[in-house]
Amino acid sequence: MLLIDKEILYLISPDIANYYRVIPYRQAEGTIEIFVDKNNHTEEVKDEIELLLGNRVVLVPQEPSEIDKLLSVHYRRERIKNDVKAFSTTGKDFLEELLYEARSLKSSDIHFEVYETDARIRFRIDGQLIERYKIEQDNYLELVNKIKIKSKLNITEKRLPQDGRIMTKDFDIRVSVLPTLFGEKIVMRLLGQDASNIDLKTLGFKEDELRHYLEAVKKPNGIILISGPTGSGKTTTLYATLKLLNDSKRNIVTVEDPIEYTLKGINQVQLRDDIGLTFAAAIKSFLRQDPDIIMLGEIRDPETALMAIRASLTGHLVLSTIHTNSAIGTISRLIDMGVPAYLIAETLNVSLAQRLVRKLCPHCKTQTVFNANDFPVSFTIPYVPDTLYKASGCANCYYTGYKGRVAIYELFFINHEVSNHIKNNDLQELNKKKDYKPLAAQGFDILCAGDTSLDEVYSILLNV
């Protein structure tokens, strides 16, 4: 595939590129040289593009397949909806158009970054950052001020980080501003997604894992803890669980930072550390609200951990997340926070660790040869797979080789035997449990099933 300098791509907006099947690739002396589908190489097309751009253009015909690749890579658009708007980097409503473009492409974050001579905008799609726009510094400063005004931030403050929020009709946006060497970097997190279509059965649980997990969450009291790094899908799993438990007979309250999903019938509270509304303070208030189920966005400190334990001991079901690398690591983390081992043994229903893995595009994935030397040295290969696959790239996946993501889970169910080991602080014995499958083994299984590539699960295989 032809390599094109990204700087030149911003001369033509996605709507023009896709409509005329053209891609700019070089500019010199007032002339723009443009690749065009050879089936669309006409004087009429040339005249219309010159009129739209206000420049003289030279059309260079290419094979339709090459144009398909270039359009998919450089002018990526959502194919599911036909009413997605086209966007350009100019115009009064650029910010609004940018937000809706990110939404239509199912982007989770928008990154605005400034450097010495220019600035760029990137979208995070399926966990990967993809560059979308490059803009001049003067336009970038204007864009930053517009974002700060919309999120009710101080536009004169350029030395300190700031956090704000933009509310729209369809979704909410969390705004984080960070001073850098050449200006302010902004990250916008798209929130407020409707959780009504999330289903536990579609997240990636195996049949036996789902059965054990459902048994744990259907208990009237206790703690459900989900661990994993940022962006591993913990909140999605939590809300799929809440959706299952949500009915008219239960009072469900949550405190989150931020509120990433909305679900009718659940009472959601936004964390406000600046006015003293912390996780621990919220739990104290919740206990006076006659709750059946409490969801905490995260257990960050010993006070919150002990309050969650206390809530579960008084007959409530508590769901939360915690930052650890493994399901058993969650138990060690609670002990390090000062929670007595006997209380963990009495209240913990299940510890769940998870990761998100990109799935190979089914239209273009290709077979590859198994080579033990390609695997991490620390990982013991349990068996030799019949077939492995690697990413290739086609129009269906925008030539990334991947399409969609799936969660893999390390589920540690707490039964009487496990409870006794926790009380005795004998965590080494827990690793020997036969019905416990670590994340590395789960990653190897999904690799051997042909659903993903070794590159995608390599870091998970290191988690041994």
Side-chain angles (χ1 to χ4, degrees), residues 98-128:
L98 185 76
L99 294 175
Y100 279 92
E101 179 187 16
R103 181 73 167 174
S104 71
L105 292 174
K106 297 181 173 63
S107 171
S108 61
D109 301 86
I110 310 172
H111 289 241
F112 300 80
E113 300 161 315
V114 61
Y115 301 99
E116 187 172 8
T117 58
D118 57 12
R120 67 178 178 178
I121 299 172
R122 294 190 291 172
F123 290 173
R124 187 175 293 280
I125 302 172
D126 286 343
Q128 303 294 308

Side-chain angles (χ1 to χ4, degrees), residues 143-155:
L143 186 60
V144 167
N145 285 337
K146 194 169 185 178
I147 293 170
K148 291 171 82 171
I149 289 169
K150 281 185 173 289
S151 51
K152 296 179 175 60
L153 298 178
N154 184 356
I155 62 171

Side-chain angles (χ1 to χ4, degrees), residues 16 64 122 126 206 217 276-277 317 373 413 424:
I16 296 175
R122 294 190 291 172
D126 286 343
K206 295 176 182 176
V217 301
L277 183 54
L317 183 65
N373 294 327
F413 186 70
N424 298 326

Side-chain angles (χ1 to χ4, degrees), residues 217-437:
V217 301
K218 287 181 179 179
K219 291 182 178 181
N221 58 282
I223 298 181
I224 311 293
L225 285 179
I226 302 175
S227 63
T230 301
S232 59
K234 301 186 297 294
T235 304
T236 302
T237 302
L238 274 180
Y239 263 88
T241 307
L242 289 179
K243 182 193 170 189
L244 178 74
L245 297 171
N246 186 22
D247 61 40
S248 60
K249 299 176 183 177
R250 293 188 175 100
N251 177 21
I252 302 176
V253 288
T254 78
V255 58
E256 306 162 68
D257 184 29
I259 297 173
E260 295 192 32
Y261 291 98
T262 57
L263 192 59
K264 187 177 180 180
I266 291 179
N267 306 285
Q268 297 172 260
V269 176
Q270 171 66 47
L271 188 76
R272 291 285 304 275
D273 280 324
D274 56 330
I275 59 173
L277 183 54
T278 62
F279 284 120
I283 298 177
K284 291 178 183 177
S285 298
F286 286 172
L287 293 177
R288 294 190 290 269
Q289 287 282 320
D290 186 31
D292 297 294
I293 298 169
I294 297 171
M295 194 272 269
L296 306 174
E298 183 185 345
I299 291 179
R300 297 175 177 172
D301 51 60
E303 185 184 7
T304 306
L306 289 167
M307 285 298 299
I309 292 286
R310 189 179 304 168
S312 65
L313 284 171
T314 54
H316 304 90
L317 183 65
V318 180
L319 294 85
S320 189
T321 69
I322 190 168
H323 281 285
T324 60
N325 290 326
S326 65
I328 291 180
T330 294
I331 300 170
S332 301
R333 177 80 175 118
L334 290 173
I335 292 173
D336 291 342
M337 283 183 171
V339 180
Y342 73 90
L343 285 181
I344 299 173
E346 288 294 327
T347 57
L348 188 62
N349 292 353
V350 67
S351 176
L352 186 72
Q354 71 176 79
R355 300 289 187 277
L356 282 179
V357 175
R358 288 189 297 167
K359 295 193 296 182
L360 286 168
C361 174
H363 301 282
C364 64
K365 66 180 182 180
T366 55
Q367 289 190 19
T368 184
V369 178
F370 172 82
N371 184 349
N373 294 327
D374 293 337
F375 287 77
V377 175
S378 58
F379 179 72
T380 302
I381 298 170
Y383 58 90
V384 176
D386 295 329
T387 308
L388 292 182
Y389 289 87
K390 64 179 181 178
S392 181
C394 68
N396 290 287
C397 60
Y398 307 104
Y399 295 89
T400 62
Y402 299 92
K403 193 168 186 179
R405 293 188 291 178
V406 66
I408 60 171
Y409 295 97
E410 176 182 290
L411 187 142
F412 201 77
F413 186 70
I414 310 299
N415 55 26
H416 183 69
E417 177 191 354
V418 172
S419 180
N420 285 333
H421 284 306
I422 295 174
K423 285 178 183 177
N424 298 326
N425 208 354
D426 189 8
L427 302 186
Q428 292 295 328
E429 285 298 317
L430 298 180
N431 283 310
K432 301 175 184 178
K433 282 180 59 62
K434 293 181 180 179
D435 56 350
Y436 163 70
K437 200 165 192 177

Side-chain angles (χ1 to χ4, degrees), residues 12-16 76-78 83-107 110 112 121 123 132-133 135 143 146-147 150 166 168 170-171 173 188 190:
I12 291 182
S13 61
D15 59 329
I16 296 175
R76 177 174 179 166
R77 300 176 73 185
E78 177 60 63
D83 60 346
V84 173
K85 293 195 291 183
F87 308 96
S88 65
T89 56
T90 59
K92 295 180 181 177
D93 298 320
F94 172 59
L95 177 59
E96 183 180 346
E97 292 178 340
L98 185 76
L99 294 175
Y100 279 92
E101 179 187 16
R103 181 73 167 174
S104 71
L105 292 174
K106 297 181 173 63
S107 171
I110 310 172
F112 300 80
I121 299 172
F123 290 173
R132 291 294 290 174
Y133 296 104
I135 55 180
L143 186 60
K146 194 169 185 178
I147 293 170
K150 281 185 173 289
I166 298 175
T168 73
D170 302 313
F171 55 95
I173 302 141
M188 303 178 80
L190 277 63

Side-chain angles (χ1 to χ4, degrees), residues 36-93:
V36 63
D37 186 330
K38 69 178 185 179
N39 297 328
N40 212 26
H41 184 210
T42 65
E43 280 299 317
E44 185 180 359
V45 168
K46 178 176 178 294
D47 292 342
E48 289 183 15
I49 294 176
E50 284 185 335
L51 183 64
L52 287 166
L53 300 183
N55 280 88
R56 181 175 175 272
V57 302
V58 175
L59 298 182
V60 181
Q62 298 288 326
E63 291 295 324
S65 59
E66 187 66 31
I67 295 296
D68 286 338
K69 284 185 181 180
L70 291 170
L71 288 173
S72 293
V73 171
H74 299 299
Y75 293 108
R76 177 174 179 166
R77 300 176 73 185
E78 177 60 63
R79 291 192 176 89
I80 296 173
K81 296 181 180 177
N82 296 321
D83 60 346
V84 173
K85 293 195 291 183
F87 308 96
S88 65
T89 56
T90 59
K92 295 180 181 177
D93 298 320

